[in-house]
């Protein structure tokens, strides 16, 4: 996840870190500091999600904006973290977006879910230099309201399949299998809740942790892939789950080589579920601080080998939680931007300097989306 000119913002340095708590208690040793500066803003539509990928094959990360009230946009990176609108707009009003090589030809394509249940989720094939053509087929999911998209190799055959979360009365995620050429077939697999995909038991295939909507009892249900697209529920974790699209992510928070889960806690502390390496989760001790609902994205901002957290709050400035490598997240004291409602942002090395930057989606105020460059020493 616009035709206006680029709106540049004045770069500003943020406050230095102090050791507080962001939903979890800190360990005794303070983690490495992080810092970001706001570089520029792009687009003037309400962007629900941003996806990153090298769309034109020049070695840097470009951006796709899935916009709610306008066509989705493709913005090209100059290699230094500055973006130009390609004006190669696709689709119509959109929610979710995923970028990956869907037809196996070596370039990155786009999967887009609409913001209306009168349209189906569609595929856009890349011509290799950042031009896109809509596929003749679609996912055929016009009867339900598609929300977010994840790309994964569900059956281990080397191509990317699609998982779509549907915000309907059932609140379920459905899997679509790729035939290798970018043509997708719906499976009968419907996982309850919003599926977050990753290899949680380190056996080489994709498993799912499903965040439950409050109306379905809250909590987290874990489904382990047996390798033949047979998913077995291995855990049902009774922990607070405040539903928000993009409100959970998998990453190695404690630096032990497996995937842990961090999820929004609403006005309660963040939920952190620590993996034992075999796909069995336990809840990390809760701290005392709280935050509003937010979108979660995990990545190593300070290069210490553990995943930190970006929290795109819905009614507060965006926050950064720093891992203490023991399963806790420490408040960095950074507040990124104002109170604009965040969409689902993206992490990636936007300026080619080897660290993770932020592309913050601005949903509630109609943009502009914000680039924050990592300046951590």
């Amino acid at each position: 996840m616009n035709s206006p000119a680029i709106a540049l913002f004045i770069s500003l340095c943020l406050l230095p870190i102090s050791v507080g708590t962001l939903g979890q208690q800190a360990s005794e040793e303070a983690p490495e500091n992080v810092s970001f500066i706001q570089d520029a803003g792009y687009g003037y539509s309400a962007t629900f999600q941003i996806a990153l990928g090298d769309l034109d094959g020049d070695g840097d990360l470009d951006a796709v904006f899935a916009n709610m009230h306008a066509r989705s946009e493709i913005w090209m990176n100059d290699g230094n973290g500055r973006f130009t609108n390609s004006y190669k707009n696709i689709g119509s009003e959109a929610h979710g977006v995923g970028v990956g090589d869907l037809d196996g030809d070596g370039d990155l394509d786009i999967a887009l879910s609409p913001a209306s249940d009168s349209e189906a989720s569609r595929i856009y094939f890349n011509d290799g230099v950042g031009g896109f053509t809509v596929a003749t087929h679609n996912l055929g999911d016009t009867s339900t309201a598609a929300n977010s998209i994840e790309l994964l190799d569900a059956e281990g055959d080397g191509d990317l399949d699609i998982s779509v979360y549907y915000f309907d009365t059932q609140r379920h995620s459905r899997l679509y299998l790729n035939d290798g050429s970018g043509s997708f077939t719906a499976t009968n697999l419907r996982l309850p809740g919003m599926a977050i995909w990753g290899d949680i038991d380190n056996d080489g295939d994709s498993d799912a942790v499903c965040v439950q909507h409050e109306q379905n009892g809250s909590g987290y249900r874990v489904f382990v892939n047996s390798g033949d697209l047979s998913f077995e529920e291995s855990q049902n974790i009774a922990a607070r789950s405040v539903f928000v699209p993009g409100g959970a992510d998998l990453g190695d928070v404690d630096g032990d080589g497996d995937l842990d889960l961090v999820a929004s806690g609403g006005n309660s502390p963040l939920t952190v579920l620590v993996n034992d390496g075999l796909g069995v989760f336990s809840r990390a001790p809760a701290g005392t601080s709280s935050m509003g609902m937010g979108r979660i994205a995990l990545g190593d901002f300070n290069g210490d080998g553990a995943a930190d957290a970006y929290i795109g709050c819905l009614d507060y400035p965006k926050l950064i939680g720093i891992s203490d490598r023991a399963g806790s997240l420490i408040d960095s004291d950074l507040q990124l931007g104002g109170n604009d409602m965040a969409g689902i942002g993206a992490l990636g090395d936007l300026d080619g300097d080897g660290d993770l930057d932020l592309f913050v989606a601005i949903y509630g105020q109609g943009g502009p989306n914000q680039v924050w460059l990592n300046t951590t020493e």
Side-chain angles (χ1 to χ4, degrees), residues 153-156 161 175 177 187 189 197 225-231:
D153 184 4
E155 75 271 50
D161 309 302
L175 189 62
L177 296 183
T187 69
L189 180 66
W197 295 90
N225 189 345
S226 65
D228 58 358
L229 287 181
S230 176
F231 288 83

Side-chain angles (χ1 to χ4, degrees), residues 275-321:
N275 191 341
D276 69 354
L278 301 175
V280 178
F281 291 90
S282 59
R283 187 168 183 177
T288 57
S289 66
S290 61
M291 54 166 283
M293 290 195 299
R295 329 281 188 181
I296 307 293
L298 301 182
D300 184 3
F301 295 131
N302 56 11
D304 66 352
D308 310 302
Y310 157 73
I311 305 104
C313 299
L314 304 190
D315 49 6
Y316 296 98
K318 294 73 184 167
L319 306 174
I320 301 292

Side-chain angles (χ1 to χ4, degrees), residues 31 163 184 196 262-263 286 305 321 333:
S163 173
F184 292 84
I196 312 299
V262 177
D333 280 350

Side-chain angles (χ1 to χ4, degrees), residues 342-354:
I344 304 174
L347 312 183
D349 184 6
L350 301 179
D351 55 1
D353 65 351

Side-chain angles (χ1 to χ4, degrees), residues 211-212 214 218 220 240-244 247 264-267 293:
V211 183
Q212 301 303 294
E214 293 95 324
S218 194
Y220 304 85
R240 180 176 175 83
S241 62
V242 177
F243 177 82
V244 55
S264 173
N267 290 322
M293 290 195 299

Side-chain angles (χ1 to χ4, degrees), residues 12 14-15 70 83 105 123 165 170 189 202 209 219 223 244 251 262 267 270 282 310 327 346 366:
L12 49 102
L14 296 172
L15 295 175
F83 291 80
D105 65 351
I123 308 301
Y165 174 70
Q170 299 180 35
L189 180 66
N202 290 307
V209 180
F223 292 85
V244 55
V262 177
N267 290 322
L270 293 174
S282 59
Y310 157 73

